[in-house]
Amino acid sequence: MRFEHEGLAQRVLFGSGEAARAVTEEVERLGSRRVMVVAGASERGLAESVTAGVPVVVHHDEVVMHVPVEVAERARAVAAAHDVDAIVCVGGGSTTGLAKAVALTTGLPIVAVPTTYAGSEATNVWGLTEGAKKTTGVDGRVLPRAIVYDASLMLGLPVAMSVASGLNALAHCVDSMWAPRADPIDRALAGEGIRALRIGLPQVVADPRGLEGREYALYGAYLAAVAFASAGSGLHHKICHVLGGRYDLPHAQTHAVVLPHVLAFNVPSAPEAERRIAAAFDAASAVEGLRRLRTELGAPTALRDYGLQEADLPGAVEAILPVVPADNPTPVDPDNLARLLHAAWEGADPR
Ligand code: NAD
């Protein structure tokens, strides 16, 4: 065995009902006196409760999925106008993404309080959208200094969004088995992430206000994000990135639909990943494990339900092919990619 693995330096505080105390302590630790709170209008109540002990100078609530550049510019102007020295963001990946966009140009430290399973808080990846083109990059300035995980903040996350977001986290785990920089540490984290999500998500569906399922799922989502941050984007993320940017599809739902198709496509050529994923699902095969979980969760099945047109598929194939990782386990060609996308579009059985 031989590998190089780089972990990202950030503090992680996990405790249900403890966000307000933990956020206060993390802001004090940074020595910050002028905090900008970034949270969408619907997360305002959550944000106010967790920042009650923090010296807040401004609340900013213009949160838009995929962070349009003009939205980022306005948030940066607000930060400058209020002379802020730290950001606390409370929300899903879109909210964390906006805080990262401000940190990218200002270097302001972020304390992230996630309220979905997207995992952006544990990566040094930023994303901005200009027109229909989404650009991403890696920069140490956008990595939150601290993450405060409090599963009690997620009790109101609607079940459908919880399922889609949880499967987005699962996709981080699965892709981390074969992404370009995947190493044994990433695979170990990803296997435990799958196990935790497999235990937690059905509990969330059965009892959305139950803390135990929410905690398992959130723990799994963090592991997933750490694995993904190190392993990089594999075939699954490349496909979803293109689809999300070009056709403005919802992020988590797109991941949830595409995942079983990429899994079925790759496992025949990736026996070690197949074994690990099957074991994490406690199933006879990886594909069977994911199928069982998706059935239990009532997972979304077809991209056409989110506005993608059949006529969009040839353009999508053309846009994805050049970004497919060269060492993807199953070699990708225009025909097999077109079949994969068509199956995901119509909601056919993955094969
Ligand atoms: P999101 O942040 O857009 O949130 C989805 C919806 O859930 C919103 O309507 C939001 O108001 C609602 N919501 C969030 N938390 C809630 C709560 N606790 N209770 C009730 N409602 C709640 O969606 P997302 O899937 O979390 O994030 C998607 C974005 O994150 C995409 O732009 C994606 O590219 C980005 N992302 C980036 C990275 C990265 O590493 N940079 C990783 C994952 C995702």
Side-chain angles (χ1 to χ4, degrees), residues 130-331:
E130 198 159 11
K133 186 155 172 38
K134 183 164 176 179
T135 308
T136 58
V138 172
D139 195 307
R141 281 175 300 181
V142 309
L143 180 75
R145 301 286 182 86
I147 310 174
V148 172
Y149 284 119
D150 181 342
S152 73
L153 303 177
M154 311 185 65
L155 301 181
L157 186 66
V159 168
M161 184 62 206
S162 301
V163 166
S165 189
L167 291 171
N168 182 191
L170 195 73
H172 290 148
C173 296
V174 169
D175 231 17
S176 293
M177 296 288 177
W178 46 58
R181 300 189 308 273
D183 64 43
I185 306 301
D186 304 333
R187 295 188 184 104
L189 292 167
E192 172 66 358
I194 293 171
R195 193 188 70 85
L197 290 161
R198 182 258 292 171
I199 293 170
L201 291 176
Q203 290 187 45
V204 168
V205 170
D207 177 16
R209 301 200 65 82
L211 212 43
E212 189 181 295
R214 293 287 183 185
E215 286 181 343
Y216 263 110
L218 193 54
Y219 161 66
Y222 169 67
L223 294 173
V226 175
F228 169 62
S230 167
S233 289
L235 176 63
H236 173 85
H237 279 79
K238 294 295 185 189
I239 291 174
C240 293
H241 178 89
V242 169
L243 293 177
R246 276 175 75 103
Y247 308 107
D248 196 27
L249 301 181
H251 177 84
Q253 291 83 349
T254 303
H255 280 266
V257 170
V258 171
L259 180 62
H261 298 279
V262 173
L263 182 70
F265 183 84
N266 265 349
V267 285
S269 320
E272 192 204 331
E274 155 69 21
R275 273 194 302 277
R276 280 178 183 268
I277 298 170
F281 275 125
D282 194 19
S285 75
V287 167
E288 169 58 17
L290 181 57
R291 192 196 59 73
R292 214 168 57 193
L293 179 67
R294 287 173 47 81
T295 305
E296 220 175 330
L297 302 179
T301 53
L303 292 175
R304 64 175 162 191
D305 294 343
Y306 298 100
L308 189 69
Q309 306 293 317
E310 191 168 16
D312 294 330
L313 296 177
V317 171
E318 233 170 81
I320 293 165
L321 274 174
V323 296
V324 168
D327 58 354
N328 187 64
T330 300

Side-chain angles (χ1 to χ4, degrees), residues 40-43 46 63-67 90-97 100 114-127 129 134 136-137 142 151-158 161-162 164-165 168 172 214 225 228-229 237 241 249-253 255:
S42 48
E43 277 73 66
L46 287 181
V63 172
V64 180
M65 192 176 282
H66 303 314
V67 199
V90 183
S94 302
T95 308
T96 312
K100 285 176 158 183
T115 63
T116 69
Y117 308 116
S120 175
E121 66 280 358
T123 83
N124 53 6
V125 179
W126 54 266
T129 308
K134 183 164 176 179
T136 58
V142 309
S152 73
L153 303 177
M154 311 185 65
L155 301 181
L157 186 66
M161 184 62 206
S162 301
S165 189
N168 182 191
H172 290 148
R214 293 287 183 185
F228 169 62
H237 279 79
H241 178 89
L249 301 181
H251 177 84
Q253 291 83 349
H255 280 266

